[in-house]
Amino acid sequence: MSIPAAYLGVILIWSTTPLAIQWSEVGADFVFPVLVRMAIGLVACTILVRALRIPMPRSHAALNAYVAAGSGIFGAMLLVYWGARYVPSGLIAVLFGLIPLFTGLIGVWLADAERLTPAKLAGIVLGLAGLIVIFGAGAKISTQALPGIAAILGAVAIQAASLVWVKRTGAAVPVLALTTGALTFVVGLLLPLWWALFGHVPQWSVRAGLSTLYLGIFGSVVGFTLYFYVTKHLQAGQVALITLITPVSALLLGQWLNGEQPGLDIWLGTALILVGLGVHQWRLLVSARP
């Protein structure tokens, strides 16, 4: 596969995922779209694993990795789907751009990463300043925007912690096998949770069904695979640029396709977060230069 095509594919999928999440909503039942999305992803991954004859390791480290990755997906997706009912799709992408900052902080706390340099500390401060601006703007979006922003921020923290946990397992698991094991764990948790909370299939619009199908195949399988593909073939700094591009592209897509109108304070908060990410990952970005 062409590396530039894979790179653009990751940007496109990550930019459209928040919008597709909003379009897949089915009223109060925010668990059902997650369950269907993960089930579709699990079926697709299982078919690929068997077709490509990829082994599914069952060592203690591998099982720990499945649980680590699955816990992150389970917790993060539930919070994102709940919060997406109150937060514009572009803002979801902006907040998820904070994952590198959260991952770095957790890594330092657990002594899994190098110490905080002045540049990294400055990046974190700028990112937090952007969050403060966005939280201030949240009160103007809707009465429930602040809890929604808090929920998505919690999802970011869970996803970052999951990434660190997976790394700490030290398991040598193929990407598709890891995804399959994680999704198996997630579906096993989501099914009884959905049955206990709701227990009936909600009415679904065509747009919600197609959005969930898109998320199940592209958001959960193709995007993940393409991301690891470009990670393998490109420098870390070039991959890091994705987190600086997708928040802006998602905001623009939300305006164009969903009628969202982020105010000046949202753009200011976004700019602070992106500058913070750039400062935090300065060494990686510099290394991407030819």
Side-chain angles (χ1 to χ4, degrees):
M1 174 182 287
S2 165
I3 296 176
Y7 194 90
L8 290 175
V10 174
I11 293 175
L12 179 61
I13 291 172
W14 284 14
S15 299
T16 55
T17 293
L19 187 58
I21 288 175
Q22 287 199 327
W23 285 356
S24 67
E25 292 176 0
V26 285
D29 187 351
F30 64 95
V31 180
F32 186 73
V34 187
L35 173 60
V36 175
R37 171 184 174 178
M38 297 303 147
I40 293 172
L42 177 57
V43 171
C45 281
T46 302
I47 293 173
L48 287 174
V49 164
R50 293 185 177 180
L52 299 175
R53 297 182 179 180
I54 297 174
M56 288 288 298
R58 291 179 174 81
S59 64
H60 177 75
L63 294 176
N64 195 14
Y66 300 150
V67 173
S71 297
I73 296 172
F74 175 77
M77 287 299 100
L78 283 179
L79 288 175
V80 166
Y81 273 75
W82 184 86
R85 297 180 295 174
Y86 314 111
V87 178
S89 64
L91 186 52
I92 296 174
V94 171
L95 294 176
F96 261 83
L98 289 165
I99 283 182
L101 299 184
F102 276 67
T103 304
L105 279 175
I106 295 172
V108 169
W109 178 50
L110 296 175
D112 281 349
E114 61 185 59
R115 64 181 180 84
L116 284 177
T117 63
K120 288 189 175 184
L121 185 59
I124 291 171
V125 171
L126 286 169
L128 291 177
L131 275 182
I132 292 172
V133 173
I134 287 173
F135 266 101
K140 304 175 185 178
I141 300 173
S142 72
T143 56
Q144 290 182 292
L146 291 179
I149 292 173
I152 293 170
L153 199 57
V156 172
I158 290 173
Q159 188 64 42
S162 173
L163 292 173
V164 175
W165 185 6
V166 170
K167 183 178 178 180
R168 284 171 64 91
T169 63
V173 182
V175 173
L176 274 175
L178 178 61
T179 306
T180 304
L183 290 179
T184 301
F185 178 78
V186 172
V187 172
L189 292 179
L190 284 174
L191 187 57
L193 177 64
W194 169 73
W195 184 260
L197 292 179
F198 302 100
H200 66 278
V201 177
Q203 291 185 344
W204 238 4
S205 66
V206 173
R207 187 175 75 168
L210 291 176
S211 298
T212 301
L213 182 63
Y214 170 80
L215 289 168
I217 295 176
F218 289 91
S220 298
V221 181
V222 177
F224 193 69
T225 304
L226 289 180
Y227 173 72
F228 278 95
Y229 180 78
V230 298
T231 300
K232 181 179 179 180
H233 289 86
L234 296 177
Q235 298 178 26
Q238 294 170 315
V239 178
L241 284 172
I242 295 175
T243 61
L244 300 179
I245 297 172
T246 51
V248 176
S249 56
L251 280 171
L252 295 175
L253 282 173
Q255 284 185 298
W256 179 37
L257 298 176
N258 210 37
E260 299 171 4
Q261 297 296 327
L264 180 60
D265 39 12
I266 295 293
W267 283 108
L268 176 59
T270 300
L272 286 171
I273 289 175
L274 294 183
V275 171
L277 283 170
V279 172
H280 185 270
Q281 302 187 72
W282 178 250
R283 289 185 180 179
L284 292 178
L285 296 174
V286 170
S287 70
R289 296 172 60 184

